[in-house]
């Protein structure tokens, strides 16, 4: 399953430098997100997926809103879009500003690793020495 | 958009004129030379005046006893001179320019009036000039192509280096901004180099592997001009160009955009709209500049349509290569390009891409493992939620990436049933059955613990069989470095804390979920979930 997906992924994650759509076009020349609260772990969700994006919305933005029909972390979205996280955070910030996306910082309580696991990691790390 | 390429400015070069003058001078010498020479010259004269020739006297100087002879001779002489003069004029005004322009050279004006030798000399001169011109032009062309290629290659290297740099430091906006600037500059450099090559009748070697939506063609094109931020692209998101003309189209549109932005107010937007039409698809570019006057518009239309091809030497001292390049691409790929008045006051450029060069990239499927899409569980569930989104969305996924070939799947007509599926694949793995629109959060909540439980799941075999190589089990997906690291860590835990880990960690609530992942139909779901997360991890790693 993943085997079939893999080669493709590599095929075009490699030549990112040689894509026709340059990064500055995707972000319209901006390197900074409008919100500094949007990080890789920020969870994104489209509050109203039926809301139409403006006609000038790019395909990346449309795809982003679409895939955020369910809660999705920024970094995952970036992976699906096959774009650098930094670019996606710019796009996501715009969409959040415009109200097409909602950000939830941090993972929900349930999703956070339980203390037991953390303990294990701690033990493990200590054990390395 | 006022750049009208000017008409080819061709004046015969000085050395050519010199050659003609020299020829004329030589003729003059012949004319006054004694007969052995003159015999070579004017045939009619030699024929008509044999006695004079036989006497060996220079015909002009001969003063025979017959008073009429000199007059007749003078008359003939004048006619001969006139003939030659006319022929030379014809040469200078008609034949030579034609030879220089590389078009078909017309013949002598009245070849019969000339001595055969003279005519032959003239022909010889013309052919020598033509050959020299051709050779010179060819070598110049090759040199230009070579130089342009080098520039282009180096520009592409810069782009690649910049992309690499940006990907290495994703968290640094300053650096990212700089790489964008450099990338932008390099992209334009590459375009200019490629323009030179195209004008030299050399075609871009660069090809993109996948179809590209025309809206993205326009955006990619905007990336190649200075004022890319003024370009506003709207239109049909599903119409795409076949891979073979992606690069030509990008370049062509870039040149039109360059003209549009250069010849309109610096703050005015340039709008691009894409729409499918009966005979293919149309890209319209409107600027709000002053437009072109009638004459220049007519001229520009000739050029952009490809009806009149301009060479690299024809574009003028202030090279305005744009339209010339557009015309060459249009002619070569059978694109219809036309210019006209824009309702915005400026120029409207219309590119018609014929249907044979058009594909549909309707599928908004994100670049996901496409397999889970058809999974039975998912489709009923997320549909209610996601249908609305995909529907209005001709939102074909961000197909722009070169690779989406696989994702795009032309067969997939933009039918409703297909569309919802991919999103399902996207989220479904995390979704417990019966999710409602309100619940996506829960779904996501579940997803994360699930991931963890999957790991734990895998740890079990380790616990049971610590000696055995558990990894094969784990890495059904290509084990990437982070995954291996994770596995190693887990085994490490096993070693250090053999007693409680696995059983204790599986809290009662979670156990069922892991079971589900293993045994129940949701297996499908858990798998892709794993891939997804793993791919994310990889991406993450790549970013970091």
């Amino acid at each position: 399953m993943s085997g079939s997906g893999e080669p493709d992924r590599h095929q075009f994650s490699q030549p990112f430098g040689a894509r026709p759509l340059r990064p500055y076009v995707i972000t319209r020349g901006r390197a900074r997100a409008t919100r500094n609260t949007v990080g890789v772990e920020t969870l994104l969700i489209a509050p109203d997926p039926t809301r139409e994006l403006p006609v000038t919305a790019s395909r990346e933005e449309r795809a982003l809103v679409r895939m955020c029909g369910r809660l999705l972390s920024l970094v995952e979205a970036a992976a699906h879009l096959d774009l650098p996280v930094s670019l996606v955070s710019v796009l996501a910030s715009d969409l959040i500003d415009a109200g097409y996306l909602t950000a939830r910082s941090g993972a929900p309580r349930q999703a956070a690793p339980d203390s037991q696991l953390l303990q294990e990691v701690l033990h493990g790390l200590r054990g390395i020495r | 958009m006022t750049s009208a390429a000017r008409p080819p400015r061709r004046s015969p070069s000085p050395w050519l004129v010199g050659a003609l003058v020299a020829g004329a001078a030589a003729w003059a010498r012949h004319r006054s030379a004694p007969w052995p020479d003159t015999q070579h010259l004017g045939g009619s004269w030699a024929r008509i005046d044999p006695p004079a020739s036989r006497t060996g006297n220079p015909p002009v100087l001969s003063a025979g006893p017959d008073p009429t002879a000199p007059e007749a001779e003078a008359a003939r002489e004048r006619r001969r001179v006139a003939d030659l003069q006319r022929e030379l004029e014809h040469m200078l005004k008609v034949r030579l320019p034609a030879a220089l322009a590389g078009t078909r050279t017309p013949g002598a004006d009245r070849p019969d009036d000339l001595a055969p030798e003279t005519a032959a000399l003239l022909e010889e001169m013309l052919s020598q000039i033509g050959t020299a011109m051709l050779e010179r032009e060819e070598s110049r062309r090759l040199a230009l192509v070579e130089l342009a290629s080098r520039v282009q290659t180096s520009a592409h290297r810069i782009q690649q280096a910049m992309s690499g740099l940006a990907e290495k430091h994703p968290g640094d906006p300053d650096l990212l901004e700089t790489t964008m600037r450099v990338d932008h500059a390099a992209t334009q450099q590459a375009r200019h180099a490629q323009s030179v090559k195209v004008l030299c009748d050399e075609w871009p070697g660069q090809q993109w592997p996948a179809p590209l939506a025309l809206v993205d063609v326009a955006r990619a094109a905007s990336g190649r001009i200075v004022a890319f931020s003024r370009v506003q692209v709207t239109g049909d998101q599903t119409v795409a160009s076949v891979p073979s003309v992606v690069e030509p189209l990008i370049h062509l549109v870039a040149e039109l955009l360059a003209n549009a932005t250069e010849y309109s107010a610096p703050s005015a937007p340039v709008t691009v709209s894409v729409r499918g039409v009966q005979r293919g698809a149309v890209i319209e570019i409107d600027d709000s500049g002053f437009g072109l006057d009638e004459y220049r518009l007519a001229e520009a239309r000739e050029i952009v349509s490809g009806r009149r091809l301009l060479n690299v030497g024809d574009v003028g001292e202030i090279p305005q290569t744009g339209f010339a390049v557009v015309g060459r691409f249009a002619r070569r790929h059978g694109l219809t390009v036309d210019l006209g008045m824009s309702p915005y006051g400026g120029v409207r450029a219309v590119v018609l891409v014929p249907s044979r060069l058009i594909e549909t990239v309707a599928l908004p499927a994100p670049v996901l493992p496409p397999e889970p899409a058809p999974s039975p569980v998912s489709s009923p569930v997320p549909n209610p939620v996601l249908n609305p989104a995909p529907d209005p969305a001709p939102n074909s996924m961000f197909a722009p990436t070169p690779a989406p070939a696989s994702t795009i799947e032309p067969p997939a007509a933009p039918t409703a049933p297909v569309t919802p599926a991919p999103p399902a694949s996207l989220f479904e793995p995390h979704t417990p059955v019966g999710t409602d629109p309100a619940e996506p959060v829960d779904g996501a909540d579940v997803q994360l613990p699930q991931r963890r439980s999957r790991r734990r799941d895998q740890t079990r075999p380790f616990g049971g069989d610590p000696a055995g190589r558990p990894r094969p089990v784990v890495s059904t997906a290509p084990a990437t470095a982070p995954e291996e690291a994770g596995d190693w860590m887990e085994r490490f835990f096993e070693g250090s804390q053999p007693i409680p880990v696995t059983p204790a960690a599986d809290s009662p609530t979670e156990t069922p979920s892991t079971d589900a992942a293993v045994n129940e139909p949701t297996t499908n779901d858990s798998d892709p979930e794993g891939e997804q997360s793993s791919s994310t991890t990889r991406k993450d790693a790549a970013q970091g």
Side-chain angles (χ1 to χ4, degrees):
Chain A
M1 283 171 97
S2 73
S4 65
E6 251 352 81
D8 277 344
R9 203 156 243 298
H10 280 295
Q11 187 192 337
F12 59 107
S13 55
Q14 284 302 39
F16 181 80
R19 280 192 202 172
L21 260 185
R22 309 306 304 164
Y24 55 87
V25 177
I26 293 174
T27 65
R28 302 199 174 96
R30 291 158 309 148
R32 284 177 178 75
T34 52
R35 307 188 157 225
N36 58 8
T37 51
V38 176
V40 287
E41 79 293 349
T42 303
L43 297 174
L44 302 171
I45 187 163
D48 179 9
T50 58
R51 189 171 156 207
E52 283 270 8
L53 282 163
V55 286
T56 51
S58 69
R59 288 161 70 84
E60 291 82 5
E61 287 164 336
R62 291 167 194 272
L64 187 56
V65 170
R66 273 206 55 240
M67 62 177 73
C68 291
R70 300 287 171 89
L71 204 61
L72 192 66
S73 73
L74 181 80
V75 69
E76 277 177 300
H80 294 319
L81 289 172
D82 203 19
L83 290 174
V85 175
S86 41
L87 295 192
V88 179
S89 73
V90 174
L91 296 184
S93 300
D94 289 349
L95 291 169
I96 293 169
D97 290 346
Y100 292 99
L101 287 181
T102 309
R104 305 188 180 190
S105 43
R109 207 164 13 96
Q110 292 154 287
D114 56 27
S115 56
Q116 171 115 26
L117 180 67
L118 292 174
Q119 195 95 38
E120 285 167 26
V121 173
L122 188 60
H123 279 305
L125 288 176
R126 281 189 180 141
I128 291 179
R129 278 197 248 166
Chain B
M1 261 211 191
T2 7
S3 113
R6 38 184 89 175
R9 241 181 354 92
R10 271 233 157 105
S11 55
S13 36
W15 62 273
L16 287 170
V17 176
L20 275 185
V21 170
W27 175 81
R29 274 202 309 280
H30 283 305
R31 181 197 161 282
S32 57
W35 89 263
D37 276 341
T38 56
Q39 200 178 30
H40 282 294
L41 247 196
S44 54
W45 173 32
R47 259 198 324 278
I48 292 172
D49 198 14
S53 304
R54 268 196 299 277
T55 60
N57 293 333
V60 184
L61 302 178
S62 72
D66 183 358
T68 65
E71 286 173 18
E73 194 174 307
R76 281 194 298 274
E77 178 78 356
R78 278 195 300 275
R79 202 176 62 236
R80 211 165 50 82
V81 172
D83 282 346
L84 191 52
Q85 175 123 13
R86 197 185 55 234
E87 199 53 45
L88 281 177
E89 266 174 25
H90 178 66
M91 168 73 89
L92 191 62
K93 288 185 178 157
V94 180
R95 303 182 70 192
L96 199 53
L100 292 180
T103 56
R104 206 180 59 82
T105 313
D109 188 17
R110 281 193 232 162
D112 295 340
D113 289 351
L114 289 181
E117 293 83 357
T118 315
L121 280 178
L122 286 179
E123 294 301 329
E124 172 70 15
M125 181 176 79
L126 207 55
S127 91
Q128 277 196 22
I129 289 173
T131 315
M133 282 284 300
L134 281 183
E135 280 172 4
R136 194 174 277 219
E137 220 152 73
E138 177 63 10
S139 71
R140 200 165 46 187
R141 187 185 80 85
L142 290 177
L144 260 180
V145 167
E146 172 61 23
L147 290 176
S149 297
R150 286 185 203 169
V151 173
Q152 198 180 11
T153 311
S154 75
H156 286 157
R157 283 210 194 108
I158 295 173
Q159 287 182 309
Q160 234 153 15
M162 284 303 120
S163 299
L165 192 61
E167 283 178 22
K168 248 188 223 168
H169 305 277
D172 186 343
D174 284 332
L175 188 139
L176 184 60
E177 193 169 358
T178 308
T179 60
M180 282 177 171
R181 289 219 179 113
V182 177
D183 191 355
H184 184 205
T187 309
Q188 291 169 73
Q189 183 186 345
R191 174 187 129 228
H192 291 314
Q194 185 159 280
S195 283
V196 172
K197 284 168 74 177
V198 168
L199 289 178
C200 289
D201 215 16
E202 184 83 12
W203 302 97
Q206 189 174 28
Q207 289 286 330
W208 304 106
L212 187 63
L214 288 184
V215 283
D216 282 336
V217 165
R219 292 171 67 212
S222 74
R224 300 187 180 188
I225 66 170
V226 183
F228 69 93
S229 53
R230 286 168 53 197
V231 178
Q232 293 177 352
V233 184
T234 61
D236 193 335
Q237 306 277 325
T238 62
V239 189
S241 136
V242 298
S244 64
V245 291
V246 166
E247 176 61 27
L249 261 182
I250 293 178
H251 195 138
L252 183 155
V253 175
E255 294 296 350
L256 291 175
L257 286 176
N259 267 301
T261 51
E262 278 165 32
Y263 293 94
S264 58
S267 58
V270 169
T271 59
V272 181
S273 73
V274 172
R275 89 175 71 106
V277 294
Q278 203 66 33
R279 295 174 57 189
V282 160
I283 306 174
E284 274 180 356
I285 300 162
D286 282 296
D287 71 59
S288 44
F290 284 114
L292 293 167
D293 62 49
E294 211 169 296
Y295 169 74
R296 303 191 77 179
L297 182 63
E299 192 183 25
R301 290 179 63 190
E302 281 285 300
I303 296 170
V304 293
S305 60
R307 287 192 290 271
R308 189 171 117 206
L309 286 189
L310 296 188
N311 278 316
V312 69
D314 303 331
V315 289
E317 280 163 14
I318 305 167
Q320 296 182 322
T321 54
F323 286 164
V325 171
V326 170
R328 285 192 160 258
F329 274 125
R331 156 106 54 119
R332 180 176 169 88
H333 296 284
L335 308 163
T336 312
V337 184
D338 202 358
L339 300 178
M341 294 298 292
S342 163
Y344 301 95
V347 170
R348 165 174 285 179
V350 181
V351 183
L352 170 64
V353 189
S355 2
R356 69 189 157 83
L357 300 176
I358 289 295
E359 280 184 24
T360 304
V361 288
L363 274 208
V367 196
L368 281 189
E371 330 74 58
S375 95
V377 187
S378 60
S379 33
V381 184
N383 274 356
V385 191
L386 290 172
N387 250 342
D391 277 348
N395 296 357
S396 22
M397 60 153 288
F398 77 115
T401 51
S406 57
T407 341
I408 280 165
E409 297 172 29
T415 50
V418 188
T419 346
S425 79
L426 222 189
F427 309 106
E428 156 247 322
H430 324 309
T431 324
V433 186
T435 324
D436 271 344
E439 293 179 350
V441 184
D442 288 346
D445 288 351
V446 177
Q447 103 195 28
L448 292 172
Q450 223 179 10
R451 218 175 287 158
R452 190 180 35 154
S453 64
R454 169 178 164 262
R455 286 252 166 108
R456 235 174 254 148
D457 219 20
Q458 292 155 355
T459 64
R460 267 186 214 148
F462 306 172
D465 178 19
R469 303 254 322 140
R471 242 201 293 133
V473 185
V474 182
S475 52
T476 45
T480 56
E483 289 252 319
E484 281 174 23
D487 295 341
W488 177 85
M489 193 59 108
E490 280 171 279
R491 274 177 293 168
F492 180 80
F493 291 152
E494 303 275 325
S496 67
Q497 281 201 345
I499 323 139
V501 180
T502 352
D506 283 337
S507 66
T509 46
E510 283 170 354
T511 321
S513 80
T514 52
D515 284 349
V518 180
N519 304 325
E520 287 172 18
T522 43
T523 315
N524 280 345
D525 304 352
S526 81
D527 253 60
E529 195 268 338
E531 280 157 28
Q532 208 172 317
S533 70
S534 75
S535 72
T536 308
T537 328
R538 277 192 301 271
K539 185 76 187 181
D540 211 3
Q543 302 300 326

